[in-house]
Amino acid sequence: MREFIVEADGGSRGNPGPAGYGSVVLDAATGQTLVETYEYLGVVTNNVAEYRGLLAGLRAAHDLDPSARVHVRMDSKLVVEQMSGRWKIKHPDMKPLALEAGRVFAPGQVTYEWIPREQNKRADRLANEAMDSGGSASSVRKLSSAESASGVTSTKVEADVRAAKAVASPGWAPADMGVPATFVLLRHGETPLTPQKRFSGSGGTDPSLSDIGREQARRAAEALAERGTIQHILASPLTRTRQTAAAVAERLGIEVTVEDGLIETDFGAWEGLTFGEVRERYPDDLNTWLSDPEAEPTGGGESFAATATRIAATRDKLVAAYAGRTVLLVTHVTPIKTFVRLALGAPPESLFRMELSAASLSAVAYYADGNASVRLLNDTSHLRP
C-alpha cells in the first residue's frame, strides 16, 4: 500500500484577517514532493485557514491514490488534537471543516502528528505566498521527479515574479507589514493575597497560587488550548506566574521560558499591605506615588517610570525574537497594564483606570513598522461557570 505524508499550514494576518493556506504531499518512502498547493482565502481566522490547508492536502493526496495511507504533520496543536479525537471541536466555523476532512479518506487511513513550526517550513512558505498574493494567485502543482529533486517549484517562481512587479510598480500601495508578533498577556491566578487586595510585588514573600488560583490557571489553559494559536510561553520568575505558566504548558505541550523582564514591580515597604493600610501608615508617600510616575514606594521600591522603561526594553527584545509569532506572556498586573499603556500611547495615570482580574487574558500585536494594536483586555470569560 502506498503511503503519503501531508504537511499543511494556514495563517491569518489579523486573526481574523487576510488569510491563506499551503499544503505539501510527499511520498513517505522516498521523501519526494509530489504536490504543492496554496490558496488565498480572504478574511478568516488562523484556525480556519489551518483546517483549509489540511483539507486541501488530504484532497491532493486522495487524488493521487485514494487507497493510500496518509500521515499528516502540522504545527497546529489544535487541529492535530481535534482531528485525532482527543479534543472537542466547539467552534462553529471549524466543525464542518473537520467533518469534511474526516470524510476524504476512509476511517483508519489517516494519522496525525504535531511538529514544531521549524519542521513545517514548506507548508508555511506556501501559506505566506498565498497571503502575499492577496487573491491574485492560487496554485495546485504536481511536481516531476526533476523538480522535486532540484527544489525548484512554480510557486517559488510566481512569488519572485510578484515581488519583481511590486518593486517595479510606481506610486502608492498598501504597506504589507507581515504577520505581527502577538503577545497574549495572562495574569497569574489568585494567591492568598489577591482577594485581600494586598500589594504583592517582586519584593515580598513570593506567594504561591491558592486552590482557586490553580483552578483559574487550569481554565485559562483550556481556553488557550481551544484558541490553538500559542507557539511559545514565557513567564515572570515569581512562583505564582511560573505555576500558572506550568498549567498552560502542560495542556499545550510547550516548554516555559523564564523572562526576568516580566517580573512585577517592587512595592518596597508596602509589600503585603492593603491600600488602606498604606494610606494610614504612609499617606504622603502614597499621594506622591499616585501623582508622579517617577515616585518610588516607601522604602525604595520601583517607580512606574522605571517599570515602564524595563517593560519597553523587554517588549523590544521579545518583538525582535518572536517576529510573526504568537507568544503567551504570563506576568502580573503592572507589567500587563504597562504593555497596554505603551501600545496605546496613553499617559501614566491610565494605569489606575484599567481593571485587570486574576487569570485574565489581554493581547497586543506588534507590527514591523513599530505600531501596535491592542486586541483584548481583561477577558475573563473562561472563568465563568
Side-chain angles (χ1 to χ4, degrees):
M1 180 180 290
R2 201 171 183 189
E3 294 187 14
F4 297 135
I5 294 172
V6 170
E7 296 177 349
D9 198 11
S12 172
R13 292 171 180 170
N15 200 28
Y21 70 73
S23 303
V24 184
V25 182
L26 304 99
D27 187 295
T30 65
Q32 178 186 350
T33 301
L34 305 175
V35 179
E36 288 186 344
T37 177
Y38 69 83
E39 182 182 1
Y40 177 75
L41 298 174
V43 177
V44 300
T45 66
N46 187 68
N47 293 144
V48 167
E50 290 169 337
Y51 263 106
R52 291 288 299 274
L54 167 64
L55 187 57
L58 290 173
R59 285 172 172 167
H62 189 272
D63 289 344
L64 293 173
D65 187 347
S67 66
R69 291 190 177 277
V70 179
H71 184 63
V72 175
R73 293 157 45 93
M74 297 182 68
D75 59 45
S76 170
K77 187 79 169 178
L78 179 77
V79 174
V80 168
E81 293 297 318
Q82 288 181 343
M83 291 303 299
S84 299
R86 292 185 288 270
W87 292 1
K88 293 181 180 179
I89 305 173
K90 299 180 180 179
H91 199 285
D93 291 341
M94 290 187 280
K95 281 184 178 180
L97 292 172
L99 289 172
E100 194 172 354
R103 290 194 291 261
V104 176
F105 283 91
Q109 281 184 245
V110 183
T111 56
Y112 291 86
E113 176 190 3
W114 176 84
I115 57 174
R117 187 181 183 187
E118 291 72 21
Q119 297 179 24
N120 202 27
K121 289 182 178 179
R122 285 171 291 196
D124 178 73
R125 169 180 58 80
L126 291 170
N128 277 286
E129 289 184 14
M131 288 183 278
D132 290 342
S133 77
S136 64
S138 63
S139 175
V140 178
R141 169 72 168 165
K142 293 185 178 181
L143 275 67
S144 67
S145 299
E147 286 175 318
S148 178
S150 68
V152 177
T153 69
S154 64
T155 53
K156 179 65 171 70
V157 173
E158 290 164 3
D160 291 342
V161 170
R162 287 196 303 274
K165 287 180 178 179
V167 172
S169 300
W172 293 97
D176 181 6
M177 292 295 104
V179 181
T182 301
F183 294 168
V184 178
L185 305 163
L186 172 61
R187 185 190 170 193
H188 60 80
E190 280 192 14
T191 74
L193 301 182
T194 307
Q196 300 175 29
K197 297 188 179 298
R198 296 185 179 275
F199 283 92
S200 183
S202 57
T205 58
D206 192 16
S208 299
L209 295 179
S210 63
D211 289 342
I212 292 175
R214 285 189 285 273
E215 174 61 17
Q216 290 172 333
R218 185 193 68 78
R219 292 193 182 191
E222 290 296 328
L224 290 165
E226 286 187 15
R227 294 185 183 204
T229 57
I230 301 300
Q231 297 165 295
H232 306 274
I233 301 175
L234 280 68
S236 152
L238 296 181
T239 300
R240 53 194 181 273
T241 41
R242 288 189 289 108
Q243 289 175 329
T244 303
V248 180
E250 182 178 4
R251 183 65 177 84
L252 300 186
I254 302 175
E255 293 185 0
V256 177
T257 299
V258 172
E259 171 53 57
D260 291 340
L262 298 175
I263 200 167
E264 179 61 290
T265 299
D266 183 348
F267 294 111
W270 302 350
E271 294 280 357
L273 301 180
T274 66
F275 190 87
E277 289 169 340
V278 172
R279 181 171 291 283
E280 181 180 341
R281 299 182 193 184
Y282 311 103
D284 293 340
D285 289 350
L286 180 62
N287 289 335
T288 302
W289 181 73
L290 291 173
S291 61
D292 183 1
E294 299 285 348
E296 297 177 350
T298 306
E302 187 179 24
S303 70
F304 283 141
T307 300
T309 299
R310 167 167 59 84
I311 293 301
T314 302
R315 174 203 62 197
D316 293 346
K317 179 180 74 172
L318 298 182
V319 167
Y322 296 101
R325 314 289 280 171
T326 299
V327 186
L328 180 68
L329 306 184
V330 187
T331 179
H332 309 265
V333 169
T334 313
I336 293 174
K337 288 184 177 182
T338 303
F339 273 110
V340 172
R341 179 182 80 76
L342 294 174
L344 294 173
E349 56 266 28
S350 64
L351 294 176
F352 301 116
R353 292 167 174 78
M354 298 183 211
E355 178 67 26
L356 206 68
S357 304
S360 63
L361 289 166
S362 304
V364 182
Y366 298 91
Y367 291 88
D369 64 349
N371 283 318
S373 173
V374 176
R375 303 290 180 82
L376 188 69
L377 180 65
N378 197 42
D379 177 15
T380 57
S381 58
H382 51 284
L383 303 179
R384 298 169 193 157

